[in-house]
Amino acid sequence: MRNDLILFLLLTSCCSAFIPQFRHAHQNIIEIANSNDHQQDIKELWKEVGTVFATLSLGVGIMMTPLPSLADGVNNYDGFADYAKENQMEKSDVGCFVSKCGDQTKNLFSNPRGIKGISCLGRCKGEQSCATRCFAAYGSKDLNSWLSCTIEDNECVKVPKNVDNSAENIGYDGAIKNFNPKSLVGKWYKTTGLNPDYDMFDCQSNVFTTGTKDASELDMDIFLRISQPKEDGGGYWNNNLQEHMVVDAAQKDVSNPSGRTMHTAGKMYGLTFDENWYILGQSDGSNGIPEFKLVAYKGHTLQGNYEGSFVYAKEPTLPAAAIPAVREAAAKAGLNFDKYKPINNSCPAGEPLNDSIAGTGTSTSDWKDLVIGEGG
C-alpha cells in the first residue's frame, strides 16, 4: 500500500470517531486501498482530507490569539478572520498537510490530547472564551507545532499578505519618558483591565526579574486562571507563561519612534506575535498614592492588530486611593478609566483541573470523554 494511503488511514482511523468530518474520508480511503487504480482517487482523497485539515487550521487559527472587542476607539484588524469567514478553502494547499507537515499531523492526531483539543476547538465555532478554555485544557507542543507548520511555516492555509500592522507603532503621547525599569522588578497583580478577551482572566499576577544591571531586559513570569463554566462542571485551569521584555526606555541610543516603553515578541499557540508596551502612569507609593503602573499595549499576529490596557498594583485589588491618579493618567492618554473592569483576584482555594501527565499516554484523563461512534 502507498505510504500516503497508510498515513491517511492512520489519521482518519484515530480521528473519525471524534471528528465527524473524517468519517467519510476514512471510508473512502478503505475503498481506494482495495482498488487497483489509486492515481485519480488519490487526487480526490488529498482534496477531501486536506479540506478537513484546512477547515480545522482556519478554525483554530482565528481563535487562538485574543482579538480586541473593545468599544469606542479600539479597532479590529482581523483580516485572517475575514478570510476564514469567506470559506476560501480553494486557496489552501490541501496536500501540504501531509506532504509538508506529515510528522506534525501524525503526532497531533495520534495523541488523545491532540484529538480532544481539535475537537474542542471545532465545537467553539469561533467563540473566543471557549477557544481559550480548549487551549487551557488540551494545549500541547504537538498542537503548537501543527499550527506553526500548517499556517506560518508552510502556508498550507493561505492567509492574507501585506496586512497593515502600522497601528501597533502608533504610540501614546502620555507615555512616561524616563521610565526606570528597576521599579517594575518584583511581583505585581493585574487589578483592572480594558480588553475583555485579553485582560480579564482571574487570579492574574506577573513577576518581573532581570539579569542586567540597568534592567534593560526583563523576564516576566505570568500566572492566571482560566475558568470552566458551571454548566460544564465548573473549576479552573492554572496557567503559567513566560515572556522576555526588552526595555526601550533604558536604551537611549536606540531609535524608538513610537515612544514605546518596552516590547516583547515570541510565539503563542504556534503563531508569532509582536507587542509594544507603554507605561502611561505610575506611583512609587509616595504622597499617599499606593504603588501602581498603568500599562497600555498594542500588538499584532497574522490576524492583524490588537490592543488593550490594564493596571498593576501591589495588592490583588486596586486601592481606592490610587484610582484618581490612574484615572488622570488614563485620560491624558485618551483612555476612559470608566471602561476598565475589575479583575477577580480572590483566587479561592481548590483543586485545579490541570493534569500534569496528560498527553503522555499514562494519564487516566488521556482517553476520558472521547466519544466513540455516532451515538456516543
Side-chain angles (χ1 to χ4, degrees), residues 129-130 132-133 136 200-203 224-230 232 234-239 344 353:
S129 60
C130 173
T132 301
R133 291 192 295 271
M200 301 306 299
F201 300 108
D202 294 344
C203 299
L224 55 89
R225 284 183 180 179
I226 296 175
S227 300
Q228 179 170 245
K230 291 183 179 179
D232 293 331
Y236 60 87
W237 293 275
N238 286 332
N239 272 237
N344 181 1
L353 299 172

Side-chain angles (χ1 to χ4, degrees), residues 198-355:
Y198 202 46
D199 302 328
M200 301 306 299
F201 300 108
D202 294 344
C203 299
Q204 292 194 69
S205 61
N206 293 171
V207 177
F208 291 89
T209 57
T210 184
T212 59
K213 291 183 178 180
D214 59 357
S216 59
E217 296 188 27
L218 297 168
D219 290 312
M220 177 172 60
D221 289 320
I222 303 165
F223 178 83
L224 55 89
R225 284 183 180 179
I226 296 175
S227 300
Q228 179 170 245
K230 291 183 179 179
E231 58 267 24
D232 293 331
Y236 60 87
W237 293 275
N238 286 332
N239 272 237
N240 293 92
L241 306 167
Q242 291 78 39
E243 289 185 14
H244 183 75
M245 313 291 296
V246 176
V247 184
D248 300 85
Q251 302 179 36
K252 303 300 183 183
D253 57 340
V254 177
S255 176
N256 183 15
S258 70
R260 65 189 181 188
T261 308
M262 61 188 78
H263 68 276
T264 183
K267 281 201 171 188
M268 184 174 293
Y269 304 133
L271 292 190
T272 300
F273 75 93
D274 292 284
E275 197 167 279
N276 293 336
W277 282 33
Y278 303 86
I279 306 297
L280 304 179
Q282 64 179 347
S283 170
D284 60 4
S286 60
N287 300 318
I289 303 174
E291 288 186 73
F292 77 86
K293 307 284 186 189
L294 173 60
V295 181
Y297 59 87
K298 295 185 177 184
H300 78 266
T301 68
L302 277 175
Q303 292 176 270
N305 300 310
Y306 61 91
E307 56 187 295
S309 179
F310 57 85
V311 182
Y312 279 135
K314 287 294 186 177
E315 304 172 32
T317 301
L318 181 64
I323 292 178
V326 174
R327 185 185 300 277
E328 181 180 357
K332 288 181 178 179
L335 300 172
N336 183 354
F337 186 69
D338 289 335
K339 295 184 181 297
Y340 289 66
K341 303 298 180 184
I343 293 169
N344 181 1
N345 285 325
S346 60
C347 307
E351 189 68 25
L353 299 172
N354 304 70
D355 184 349

Side-chain angles (χ1 to χ4, degrees), residues 114-165:
I115 297 170
K116 289 196 287 188
I118 290 296
S119 300
C120 180
L121 288 165
R123 290 192 296 269
C124 288
K125 299 179 179 179
E127 203 278 306
Q128 181 63 45
S129 60
C130 173
T132 301
R133 291 192 295 271
C134 290
F135 280 107
Y138 306 118
S140 67
K141 291 182 179 178
D142 286 338
L143 179 55
N144 292 347
S145 295
W146 186 67
L147 293 166
S148 181
C149 184
T150 59
I151 296 176
E152 275 198 346
D153 298 342
N154 291 290
E155 299 183 2
C156 299
V157 176
K158 304 301 181 185
V159 297
K161 297 293 185 180
N162 302 318
V163 175
D164 182 8
N165 293 321

